[in-house]
Amino acid sequence: MLAVVAVALAYTPLAPWFGFVPLPLPVLAGLVAITVLYVVASEFTKRWLYDKGSRPITLPKA
């Protein structure tokens, strides 16, 4: 939520007061894509690891 406010602030009349400059659209799209891919990958990995961790550990017989 804070990131959305920070990006949106760059497009308001207050932007020059803070020294903000709007990002070019390709850069903004790239940042959004990287963020979405990161969230998807971390959620997939978390679910996969939790699934692996719920199985009992079997030790080889000596």
Side-chain angles (χ1 to χ4, degrees):
M1 181 66 176
L2 187 59
V4 173
V5 171
V7 171
L9 190 59
Y11 295 94
T12 66
L14 295 174
W17 191 73
F18 289 109
F20 290 172
V21 188
L23 290 173
L25 188 58
V27 174
L28 191 57
L31 286 173
V32 169
I34 289 169
T35 304
V36 168
L37 288 173
Y38 171 77
V39 169
V40 169
S42 63
E43 285 296 318
F44 174 75
T45 304
K46 179 178 69 173
R47 291 173 194 266
W48 181 71
L49 286 173
Y50 282 150
D51 182 48
K52 292 278 186 184
S54 65
R55 296 181 191 155
I57 298 174
T58 56
L59 298 175
K61 301 215 180 211

Short mmCIF file of all heavy atoms in Angstrom, two decimals:
data_model
loop_
_atom_site.label_atom_id
_atom_site.label_comp_id
_atom_site.label_asym_id
_atom_site.label_seq_id
_atom_site.Cartn_x
_atom_site.Cartn_y
_atom_site.Cartn_z
N MET A 1 0.83 -1.20 0.00
CA MET A 1 0.00 0.00 0.00
C MET A 1 0.87 1.25 0.00
O MET A 1 0.57 2.21 -0.69
CB MET A 1 -0.93 -0.06 1.22
CG MET A 1 -1.84 1.08 1.34
SD MET A 1 -3.01 1.06 -0.02
CE MET A 1 -4.01 2.41 0.40
N LEU A 2 1.92 1.21 0.79
CA LEU A 2 2.80 2.37 0.86
C LEU A 2 3.50 2.62 -0.47
O LEU A 2 3.70 3.78 -0.87
CB LEU A 2 3.83 2.18 1.97
CG LEU A 2 4.72 3.38 2.27
CD1 LEU A 2 3.88 4.58 2.67
CD2 LEU A 2 5.71 3.03 3.36
N ALA A 3 3.85 1.55 -1.16
CA ALA A 3 4.50 1.69 -2.47
C ALA A 3 3.56 2.35 -3.47
O ALA A 3 3.98 3.18 -4.28
CB ALA A 3 4.96 0.34 -2.98
N VAL A 4 2.28 2.00 -3.41
CA VAL A 4 1.29 2.60 -4.31
C VAL A 4 1.18 4.10 -4.04
O VAL A 4 1.13 4.91 -4.96
CB VAL A 4 -0.08 1.90 -4.16
CG1 VAL A 4 -1.15 2.62 -4.95
CG2 VAL A 4 0.02 0.45 -4.58
N VAL A 5 1.17 4.47 -2.77
CA VAL A 5 1.09 5.89 -2.41
C VAL A 5 2.35 6.62 -2.89
O VAL A 5 2.26 7.73 -3.43
CB VAL A 5 0.90 6.05 -0.89
CG1 VAL A 5 1.03 7.50 -0.47
CG2 VAL A 5 -0.44 5.49 -0.46
N ALA A 6 3.51 6.01 -2.72
CA ALA A 6 4.76 6.65 -3.13
C ALA A 6 4.81 6.85 -4.64
O ALA A 6 5.23 7.90 -5.13
CB ALA A 6 5.95 5.82 -2.67
N VAL A 7 4.37 5.84 -5.40
CA VAL A 7 4.37 5.97 -6.86
C VAL A 7 3.34 6.99 -7.29
O VAL A 7 3.60 7.83 -8.16
CB VAL A 7 4.12 4.60 -7.53
CG1 VAL A 7 3.89 4.76 -9.02
CG2 VAL A 7 5.30 3.67 -7.28
N ALA A 8 2.15 6.95 -6.70
CA ALA A 8 1.09 7.89 -7.06
C ALA A 8 1.47 9.32 -6.71
O ALA A 8 1.10 10.27 -7.42
CB ALA A 8 -0.21 7.51 -6.37
N LEU A 9 2.23 9.49 -5.65
CA LEU A 9 2.64 10.83 -5.23
C LEU A 9 3.49 11.52 -6.29
O LEU A 9 3.46 12.74 -6.43
CB LEU A 9 3.40 10.74 -3.91
CG LEU A 9 3.71 12.05 -3.19
CD1 LEU A 9 2.41 12.79 -2.87
CD2 LEU A 9 4.47 11.77 -1.91
N ALA A 10 4.22 10.73 -7.06
CA ALA A 10 5.06 11.31 -8.12
C ALA A 10 4.24 11.92 -9.24
O ALA A 10 4.77 12.70 -10.04
CB ALA A 10 5.99 10.24 -8.69
N TYR A 11 2.96 11.59 -9.33
CA TYR A 11 2.09 12.12 -10.38
C TYR A 11 1.16 13.22 -9.89
O TYR A 11 0.29 13.66 -10.62
CB TYR A 11 1.27 10.97 -11.00
CG TYR A 11 2.15 9.96 -11.70
CD1 TYR A 11 2.60 8.83 -11.04
CD2 TYR A 11 2.55 10.15 -13.01
CE1 TYR A 11 3.42 7.90 -11.66
CE2 TYR A 11 3.36 9.23 -13.65
CZ TYR A 11 3.79 8.12 -12.97
OH TYR A 11 4.61 7.21 -13.60
N THR A 12 1.34 13.66 -8.65
CA THR A 12 0.50 14.72 -8.09
C THR A 12 1.24 16.06 -8.15
O THR A 12 2.45 16.10 -8.40
CB THR A 12 0.15 14.41 -6.62
OG1 THR A 12 1.34 14.47 -5.84
CG2 THR A 12 -0.53 13.07 -6.48
N PRO A 13 0.54 17.15 -7.90
CA PRO A 13 1.21 18.45 -7.87
C PRO A 13 2.23 18.60 -6.73
O PRO A 13 3.05 19.52 -6.74
CB PRO A 13 0.06 19.45 -7.68
CG PRO A 13 -1.16 18.75 -8.16
CD PRO A 13 -0.92 17.29 -7.88
N LEU A 14 2.20 17.71 -5.75
CA LEU A 14 3.17 17.75 -4.65
C LEU A 14 4.53 17.16 -5.02
O LEU A 14 5.49 17.30 -4.26
CB LEU A 14 2.62 17.00 -3.44
CG LEU A 14 1.37 17.57 -2.78
CD1 LEU A 14 0.88 16.64 -1.69
CD2 LEU A 14 1.66 18.95 -2.21
N ALA A 15 4.62 16.50 -6.16
CA ALA A 15 5.85 15.81 -6.56
C ALA A 15 7.07 16.73 -6.58
O ALA A 15 8.12 16.36 -6.05
CB ALA A 15 5.65 15.14 -7.90
N PRO A 16 7.00 17.91 -7.18
CA PRO A 16 8.20 18.77 -7.19
C PRO A 16 8.64 19.19 -5.79
O PRO A 16 9.84 19.34 -5.54
CB PRO A 16 7.78 19.99 -8.00
CG PRO A 16 6.60 19.56 -8.79
CD PRO A 16 5.93 18.49 -7.99
N TRP A 17 7.70 19.34 -4.88
CA TRP A 17 8.04 19.74 -3.52
C TRP A 17 8.90 18.68 -2.84
O TRP A 17 9.80 18.99 -2.07
CB TRP A 17 6.75 20.00 -2.75
CG TRP A 17 6.98 20.66 -1.43
CD1 TRP A 17 7.33 21.96 -1.22
CD2 TRP A 17 6.88 20.06 -0.14
NE1 TRP A 17 7.44 22.20 0.12
CE2 TRP A 17 7.18 21.05 0.82
CE3 TRP A 17 6.55 18.80 0.30
CZ2 TRP A 17 7.17 20.80 2.18
CZ3 TRP A 17 6.55 18.55 1.66
CH2 TRP A 17 6.86 19.55 2.58
N PHE A 18 8.61 17.39 -3.14
CA PHE A 18 9.39 16.29 -2.58
C PHE A 18 10.59 15.93 -3.45
O PHE A 18 11.42 15.12 -3.06
CB PHE A 18 8.52 15.04 -2.42
CG PHE A 18 7.51 15.15 -1.32
CD1 PHE A 18 6.16 15.27 -1.61
CD2 PHE A 18 7.89 15.12 0.01
CE1 PHE A 18 5.22 15.36 -0.61
CE2 PHE A 18 6.96 15.21 1.03
CZ PHE A 18 5.62 15.34 0.72
N GLY A 19 10.66 16.48 -4.66
CA GLY A 19 11.73 16.14 -5.58
C GLY A 19 11.47 14.84 -6.33
O GLY A 19 12.40 14.21 -6.83
N PHE A 20 10.21 14.43 -6.42
CA PHE A 20 9.85 13.20 -7.13
C PHE A 20 9.69 13.47 -8.61
O PHE A 20 9.24 14.54 -9.02
CB PHE A 20 8.54 12.62 -6.60
CG PHE A 20 8.63 12.04 -5.22
CD1 PHE A 20 7.49 11.64 -4.57
CD2 PHE A 20 9.83 11.88 -4.57
CE1 PHE A 20 7.54 11.10 -3.30
CE2 PHE A 20 9.91 11.32 -3.30
CZ PHE A 20 8.76 10.94 -2.66
N VAL A 21 10.04 12.49 -9.41
CA VAL A 21 9.87 12.56 -10.86
C VAL A 21 9.12 11.29 -11.26
O VAL A 21 9.48 10.20 -10.82
CB VAL A 21 11.23 12.59 -11.58
CG1 VAL A 21 11.05 12.86 -13.06
CG2 VAL A 21 12.15 13.60 -10.96
N PRO A 22 8.09 11.41 -12.09
CA PRO A 22 7.34 10.21 -12.50
C PRO A 22 8.24 9.24 -13.27
O PRO A 22 9.06 9.66 -14.10
CB PRO A 22 6.23 10.73 -13.40
CG PRO A 22 6.13 12.18 -13.12
CD PRO A 22 7.47 12.63 -12.63
N LEU A 23 8.11 7.96 -13.00
CA LEU A 23 8.88 6.95 -13.72
C LEU A 23 8.32 6.76 -15.12
O LEU A 23 7.10 6.85 -15.32
CB LEU A 23 8.81 5.61 -12.98
CG LEU A 23 9.54 5.52 -11.65
CD1 LEU A 23 9.22 4.19 -10.97
CD2 LEU A 23 11.02 5.65 -11.86
N PRO A 24 9.19 6.47 -16.08
CA PRO A 24 8.67 6.12 -17.41
C PRO A 24 7.83 4.84 -17.32
O PRO A 24 8.11 3.97 -16.48
CB PRO A 24 9.93 5.88 -18.24
CG PRO A 24 11.04 6.54 -17.48
CD PRO A 24 10.63 6.53 -16.04
N LEU A 25 6.85 4.72 -18.17
CA LEU A 25 5.93 3.59 -18.13
C LEU A 25 6.64 2.23 -18.25
O LEU A 25 6.30 1.31 -17.50
CB LEU A 25 4.85 3.74 -19.20
CG LEU A 25 3.72 2.72 -19.14
CD1 LEU A 25 3.02 2.77 -17.79
CD2 LEU A 25 2.74 2.97 -20.25
N PRO A 26 7.63 2.06 -19.13
CA PRO A 26 8.30 0.74 -19.19
C PRO A 26 9.01 0.38 -17.88
O PRO A 26 9.02 -0.78 -17.48
CB PRO A 26 9.31 0.89 -20.33
CG PRO A 26 8.78 2.00 -21.16
CD PRO A 26 8.08 2.93 -20.23
N VAL A 27 9.59 1.35 -17.22
CA VAL A 27 10.27 1.08 -15.94
C VAL A 27 9.25 0.71 -14.88
O VAL A 27 9.44 -0.26 -14.12
CB VAL A 27 11.10 2.30 -15.50
CG1 VAL A 27 11.68 2.10 -14.12
CG2 VAL A 27 12.19 2.60 -16.51
N LEU A 28 8.15 1.43 -14.82
CA LEU A 28 7.10 1.13 -13.85
C LEU A 28 6.49 -0.24 -14.10
O LEU A 28 6.28 -1.02 -13.16
CB LEU A 28 6.01 2.22 -13.92
CG LEU A 28 4.97 2.23 -12.83
CD1 LEU A 28 5.60 2.34 -11.46
CD2 LEU A 28 4.00 3.37 -13.06
N ALA A 29 6.26 -0.58 -15.37
CA ALA A 29 5.73 -1.90 -15.71
C ALA A 29 6.71 -3.00 -15.33
O ALA A 29 6.31 -4.07 -14.84
CB ALA A 29 5.40 -1.97 -17.20
N GLY A 30 7.99 -2.76 -15.54
CA GLY A 30 9.01 -3.74 -15.16
C GLY A 30 9.05 -3.97 -13.66
O GLY A 30 9.16 -5.11 -13.20
N LEU A 31 8.96 -2.89 -12.89
CA LEU A 31 8.95 -3.02 -11.43
C LEU A 31 7.73 -3.80 -10.95
O LEU A 31 7.84 -4.64 -10.06
CB LEU A 31 8.98 -1.64 -10.78
CG LEU A 31 10.31 -0.91 -10.82
CD1 LEU A 31 10.15 0.50 -10.28
CD2 LEU A 31 11.35 -1.67 -10.02
N VAL A 32 6.59 -3.53 -11.54
CA VAL A 32 5.37 -4.25 -11.16
C VAL A 32 5.51 -5.73 -11.52
O VAL A 32 5.16 -6.60 -10.71
CB VAL A 32 4.13 -3.61 -11.83
CG1 VAL A 32 2.91 -4.50 -11.67
CG2 VAL A 32 3.87 -2.23 -11.25
N ALA A 33 6.03 -6.02 -12.71
CA ALA A 33 6.19 -7.41 -13.14
C ALA A 33 7.15 -8.16 -12.23
O ALA A 33 6.88 -9.31 -11.82
CB ALA A 33 6.67 -7.46 -14.58
N ILE A 34 8.27 -7.55 -11.88
CA ILE A 34 9.24 -8.19 -11.00
C ILE A 34 8.63 -8.45 -9.63
O ILE A 34 8.81 -9.52 -9.04
CB ILE A 34 10.52 -7.34 -10.89
CG1 ILE A 34 11.29 -7.38 -12.20
CG2 ILE A 34 11.39 -7.78 -9.74
CD1 ILE A 34 12.42 -6.38 -12.29
N THR A 35 7.88 -7.48 -9.12
CA THR A 35 7.24 -7.64 -7.81
C THR A 35 6.22 -8.77 -7.82
O THR A 35 6.19 -9.60 -6.90
CB THR A 35 6.59 -6.32 -7.37
OG1 THR A 35 7.58 -5.29 -7.37
CG2 THR A 35 5.97 -6.44 -6.00
N VAL A 36 5.40 -8.82 -8.85
CA VAL A 36 4.38 -9.87 -8.95
C VAL A 36 5.05 -11.24 -9.06
O VAL A 36 4.65 -12.20 -8.39
CB VAL A 36 3.43 -9.61 -10.14
CG1 VAL A 36 2.57 -10.82 -10.43
CG2 VAL A 36 2.56 -8.40 -9.85
N LEU A 37 6.08 -11.36 -9.90
CA LEU A 37 6.78 -12.63 -10.03
C LEU A 37 7.44 -13.05 -8.73
O LEU A 37 7.45 -14.24 -8.37
CB LEU A 37 7.82 -12.54 -11.15
CG LEU A 37 7.25 -12.50 -12.57
CD1 LEU A 37 8.36 -12.24 -13.58
CD2 LEU A 37 6.53 -13.78 -12.90
N TYR A 38 7.99 -12.10 -7.99
CA TYR A 38 8.59 -12.41 -6.69
C TYR A 38 7.56 -12.95 -5.72
O TYR A 38 7.80 -13.95 -5.03
CB TYR A 38 9.27 -11.17 -6.11
CG TYR A 38 9.71 -11.37 -4.69
CD1 TYR A 38 10.86 -12.10 -4.40
CD2 TYR A 38 8.97 -10.86 -3.64
CE1 TYR A 38 11.26 -12.31 -3.09
CE2 TYR A 38 9.36 -11.07 -2.33
CZ TYR A 38 10.50 -11.79 -2.05
OH TYR A 38 10.88 -12.00 -0.76
N VAL A 39 6.41 -12.32 -5.64
CA VAL A 39 5.36 -12.75 -4.72
C VAL A 39 4.87 -14.15 -5.10
O VAL A 39 4.70 -15.02 -4.24
CB VAL A 39 4.19 -11.74 -4.68
CG1 VAL A 39 2.99 -12.30 -3.96
CG2 VAL A 39 4.64 -10.44 -4.05
N VAL A 40 4.66 -14.39 -6.39
CA VAL A 40 4.20 -15.71 -6.84
C VAL A 40 5.24 -16.78 -6.52
O VAL A 40 4.92 -17.84 -6.00
CB VAL A 40 3.87 -15.67 -8.35
CG1 VAL A 40 3.66 -17.08 -8.90
CG2 VAL A 40 2.64 -14.82 -8.60
N ALA A 41 6.51 -16.50 -6.82
CA ALA A 41 7.57 -17.47 -6.56
C ALA A 41 7.73 -17.75 -5.07
O ALA A 41 7.90 -18.91 -4.66
CB ALA A 41 8.89 -16.97 -7.14
N SER A 42 7.65 -16.73 -4.24
CA SER A 42 7.81 -16.95 -2.80
C SER A 42 6.62 -17.71 -2.23
O SER A 42 6.79 -18.55 -1.35
CB SER A 42 8.02 -15.62 -2.07
OG SER A 42 6.89 -14.79 -2.20
N GLU A 43 5.41 -17.44 -2.70
CA GLU A 43 4.24 -18.19 -2.22
C GLU A 43 4.31 -19.65 -2.65
O GLU A 43 4.01 -20.55 -1.87
CB GLU A 43 2.94 -17.55 -2.72
CG GLU A 43 2.57 -16.28 -2.00
CD GLU A 43 2.26 -16.52 -0.53
OE1 GLU A 43 1.59 -17.52 -0.19
OE2 GLU A 43 2.70 -15.71 0.29
N PHE A 44 4.72 -19.90 -3.89
CA PHE A 44 4.86 -21.27 -4.38
C PHE A 44 5.91 -22.01 -3.57
O PHE A 44 5.69 -23.14 -3.13
CB PHE A 44 5.24 -21.26 -5.86
CG PHE A 44 5.54 -22.64 -6.40
CD1 PHE A 44 4.51 -23.53 -6.66
CD2 PHE A 44 6.85 -23.04 -6.62
CE1 PHE A 44 4.79 -24.80 -7.15
CE2 PHE A 44 7.13 -24.30 -7.09
CZ PHE A 44 6.10 -25.19 -7.36
N THR A 45 7.05 -21.37 -3.32
CA THR A 45 8.12 -21.99 -2.55
C THR A 45 7.69 -22.25 -1.12
O THR A 45 7.98 -23.32 -0.56
CB THR A 45 9.38 -21.10 -2.58
OG1 THR A 45 9.73 -20.85 -3.94
CG2 THR A 45 10.54 -21.74 -1.86
N LYS A 46 7.00 -21.30 -0.52
CA LYS A 46 6.54 -21.47 0.86
C LYS A 46 5.59 -22.66 0.96
O LYS A 46 5.74 -23.51 1.86
CB LYS A 46 5.84 -20.20 1.33
CG LYS A 46 5.31 -20.28 2.74
CD LYS A 46 4.67 -18.98 3.17
CE LYS A 46 3.39 -18.73 2.43
NZ LYS A 46 2.65 -17.58 2.93
N ARG A 47 4.65 -22.76 0.06
CA ARG A 47 3.70 -23.87 0.09
C ARG A 47 4.41 -25.21 -0.14
O ARG A 47 4.11 -26.20 0.50
CB ARG A 47 2.59 -23.67 -0.93
CG ARG A 47 1.67 -22.53 -0.56
CD ARG A 47 0.68 -22.23 -1.69
NE ARG A 47 0.06 -20.97 -1.49
CZ ARG A 47 -1.12 -20.80 -0.88
NH1 ARG A 47 -1.75 -21.85 -0.41
NH2 ARG A 47 -1.64 -19.61 -0.75
N TRP A 48 5.37 -25.22 -1.06
CA TRP A 48 6.12 -26.44 -1.36
C TRP A 48 6.93 -26.87 -0.13
O TRP A 48 6.96 -28.05 0.21
CB TRP A 48 7.02 -26.20 -2.57
CG TRP A 48 7.82 -27.40 -2.97
CD1 TRP A 48 7.36 -28.54 -3.54
CD2 TRP A 48 9.23 -27.55 -2.81
NE1 TRP A 48 8.40 -29.39 -3.75
CE2 TRP A 48 9.56 -28.81 -3.32
CE3 TRP A 48 10.23 -26.74 -2.31
CZ2 TRP A 48 10.86 -29.28 -3.32
CZ3 TRP A 48 11.53 -27.21 -2.31
CH2 TRP A 48 11.83 -28.47 -2.82
N LEU A 49 7.59 -25.92 0.52
CA LEU A 49 8.40 -26.26 1.69
C LEU A 49 7.53 -26.69 2.87
O LEU A 49 7.90 -27.62 3.60
CB LEU A 49 9.28 -25.08 2.09
CG LEU A 49 10.47 -24.82 1.18
CD1 LEU A 49 11.17 -23.53 1.58
CD2 LEU A 49 11.44 -25.97 1.22
N TYR A 50 6.39 -26.05 3.07
CA TYR A 50 5.50 -26.47 4.15
C TYR A 50 4.97 -27.88 3.89
O TYR A 50 4.80 -28.67 4.80
CB TYR A 50 4.35 -25.50 4.34
CG TYR A 50 4.72 -24.24 5.08
CD1 TYR A 50 4.07 -23.05 4.83
CD2 TYR A 50 5.72 -24.24 6.03
CE1 TYR A 50 4.39 -21.89 5.53
CE2 TYR A 50 6.07 -23.10 6.72
CZ TYR A 50 5.40 -21.93 6.46
OH TYR A 50 5.73 -20.79 7.14
N ASP A 51 4.70 -28.21 2.65
CA ASP A 51 4.23 -29.54 2.29
C ASP A 51 5.33 -30.57 2.56
O ASP A 51 5.07 -31.64 3.09
CB ASP A 51 3.81 -29.58 0.82
CG ASP A 51 3.27 -30.94 0.44
OD1 ASP A 51 2.42 -31.48 1.18
OD2 ASP A 51 3.70 -31.47 -0.61
N LYS A 52 6.56 -30.26 2.20
CA LYS A 52 7.68 -31.17 2.45
C LYS A 52 7.92 -31.33 3.95
O LYS A 52 8.29 -32.40 4.39
CB LYS A 52 8.96 -30.65 1.79
CG LYS A 52 8.95 -30.66 0.30
CD LYS A 52 9.31 -32.03 -0.18
CE LYS A 52 9.45 -31.99 -1.69
NZ LYS A 52 9.71 -33.29 -2.23
N GLY A 53 7.75 -30.27 4.70
CA GLY A 53 8.01 -30.31 6.13
C GLY A 53 6.96 -31.07 6.92
O GLY A 53 7.20 -31.48 8.05
N SER A 54 5.78 -31.28 6.35
CA SER A 54 4.72 -31.95 7.09
C SER A 54 4.85 -33.46 7.03
O SER A 54 4.14 -34.16 7.73
CB SER A 54 3.36 -31.51 6.56
OG SER A 54 3.21 -31.95 5.22
N ARG A 55 5.75 -33.98 6.20
CA ARG A 55 5.94 -35.42 6.11
C ARG A 55 6.90 -35.89 7.20
O ARG A 55 7.86 -35.22 7.52
CB ARG A 55 6.52 -35.78 4.74
CG ARG A 55 5.60 -35.45 3.60
CD ARG A 55 6.21 -35.85 2.30
NE ARG A 55 5.42 -35.30 1.20
CZ ARG A 55 5.89 -35.06 0.01
NH1 ARG A 55 7.14 -35.33 -0.27
NH2 ARG A 55 5.11 -34.55 -0.92
N PRO A 56 6.65 -37.08 7.75
CA PRO A 56 7.57 -37.59 8.77
C PRO A 56 8.92 -37.97 8.13
O PRO A 56 8.96 -38.41 6.98
CB PRO A 56 6.86 -38.81 9.33
CG PRO A 56 5.86 -39.20 8.30
CD PRO A 56 5.50 -37.94 7.55
N ILE A 57 9.95 -37.78 8.86
CA ILE A 57 11.29 -38.11 8.38
C ILE A 57 11.54 -39.59 8.63
O ILE A 57 11.37 -40.08 9.75
CB ILE A 57 12.36 -37.26 9.09
CG1 ILE A 57 12.13 -35.79 8.78
CG2 ILE A 57 13.75 -37.69 8.69
CD1 ILE A 57 13.05 -34.86 9.56
N THR A 58 11.93 -40.31 7.60
CA THR A 58 12.26 -41.72 7.76
C THR A 58 13.76 -41.87 7.61
O THR A 58 14.35 -41.45 6.62
CB THR A 58 11.53 -42.57 6.70
OG1 THR A 58 11.86 -42.08 5.41
CG2 THR A 58 10.03 -42.51 6.88
N LEU A 59 14.36 -42.50 8.60
CA LEU A 59 15.81 -42.70 8.59
C LEU A 59 16.10 -44.09 8.01
O LEU A 59 15.35 -45.04 8.25
CB LEU A 59 16.37 -42.59 10.00
CG LEU A 59 16.18 -41.23 10.67
CD1 LEU A 59 16.67 -41.28 12.11
CD2 LEU A 59 16.93 -40.17 9.90
N PRO A 60 17.20 -44.22 7.28
CA PRO A 60 17.54 -45.54 6.73
C PRO A 60 17.94 -46.49 7.87
O PRO A 60 18.52 -46.08 8.86
CB PRO A 60 18.72 -45.24 5.81
CG PRO A 60 19.24 -43.93 6.23
CD PRO A 60 18.11 -43.18 6.88
N LYS A 61 17.59 -47.74 7.70
CA LYS A 61 17.93 -48.75 8.71
C LYS A 61 19.38 -49.15 8.57
O LYS A 61 19.87 -49.33 7.47
CB LYS A 61 17.03 -49.96 8.55
CG LYS A 61 15.57 -49.59 8.69
CD LYS A 61 14.81 -50.66 9.35
CE LYS A 61 13.37 -50.16 9.42
NZ LYS A 61 12.69 -50.64 10.52
N ALA A 62 20.06 -49.24 9.68
CA ALA A 62 21.48 -49.57 9.66
C ALA A 62 21.72 -51.06 9.70
O ALA A 62 20.98 -51.87 10.11
CB ALA A 62 22.19 -48.92 10.85
#
